[in-house]
Amino acid sequence: MYIELIGFLAAILTTAAFVPQAYKIWKTKSAQGVSLTMYLIMFTGVTLWGVYGLFIHSNPMILANFNTASLLIMIIYFKVKHK
Amino acid sequence: MYIELIGFLAAILTTAAFVPQAYKIWKTKSAQGVSLTMYLIMFTGVTLWGVYGLFIHSNPMILANFNTASLLIMIIYFKVKHK
């Protein structure tokens, strides 16, 4: 229970971390300083973490990684659109 | 064993994802397009994931998150230095 709480806190933070970046790209309509390579690798990695979370039955990991994957798709879309 | 392999692959990808960004900042000597807020939140989240990994005895999570935390410290340093 206590452990799951740490997991959920971590989940909220690593997911939330991508929000300001997505907002910055949206506001400035520029994603010049952001590395597309980074986000593509990150998206693949985060999806695999989600699959790993499913296997080890970790709810915080499942929640965090599939949510983050959705946010990353948005950032990748902005980057490709506003390059 | 098979599950751990997925975890390690995810670990390599999410850690590697920060390398191009760090390289880009170092090469251009500018971190303008990168959100400091993102990296600070990310660093806290990743550190908590590492602690969570210790609790649930997940080697891929421990390895990935503490390595990523080190890379994030480097990016945060570049961002603060080259703002």
Side-chain angles (χ1 to χ4, degrees):
Chain A
M1 179 60 209
Y2 182 66
I3 299 169
E4 292 293 277
L5 215 83
I6 295 175
F8 275 116
L9 193 60
I12 292 165
L13 289 171
T14 49
T15 307
F18 290 106
V19 177
Q21 188 72 72
Y23 177 73
K24 190 170 196 169
I25 292 171
W26 177 77
K27 212 183 66 176
T28 61
K29 295 281 180 291
S30 159
Q32 254 194 335
V34 159
S35 164
L36 180 62
T37 317
M38 169 182 168
Y39 283 100
L40 288 175
I41 299 172
M42 182 64 80
F43 174 75
T44 314
V46 158
T47 305
L48 280 177
W49 276 126
V51 173
Y52 178 77
L54 284 171
F55 274 116
I56 66 167
H57 305 289
S58 164
N59 288 327
M61 288 201 69
I62 296 165
L63 208 79
N65 289 297
F66 289 122
N67 272 328
T68 305
S70 318
L71 266 179
L72 290 175
I73 285 180
M74 274 177 44
I75 294 178
I76 290 165
Y77 169 79
F78 276 124
K79 176 65 181 175
V80 171
K81 199 183 163 200
H82 297 296
K83 60 179 170 186
Chain B
M1 180 57 210
Y2 181 66
I3 301 169
E4 291 295 275
L5 216 82
I6 294 174
F8 275 116
L9 193 59
I12 292 167
L13 289 171
T14 50
T15 306
F18 291 106
V19 176
Q21 188 72 71
Y23 176 74
K24 191 170 194 168
I25 293 171
W26 176 77
K27 212 183 67 174
T28 61
K29 296 279 180 293
S30 159
Q32 252 194 336
V34 160
S35 162
L36 180 62
T37 317
M38 168 183 169
Y39 282 99
L40 288 174
I41 299 172
M42 182 65 80
F43 174 74
T44 314
V46 158
T47 305
L48 280 176
W49 276 126
V51 172
Y52 178 78
L54 284 170
F55 274 116
I56 66 168
H57 305 288
S58 164
N59 289 327
M61 289 201 67
I62 296 165
L63 208 79
N65 289 297
F66 290 122
N67 272 329
T68 305
S70 319
L71 266 178
L72 290 175
I73 285 179
M74 273 177 44
I75 293 178
I76 290 166
Y77 170 79
F78 275 124
K79 176 66 182 173
V80 171
K81 200 183 163 200
H82 296 297
K83 63 179 169 184

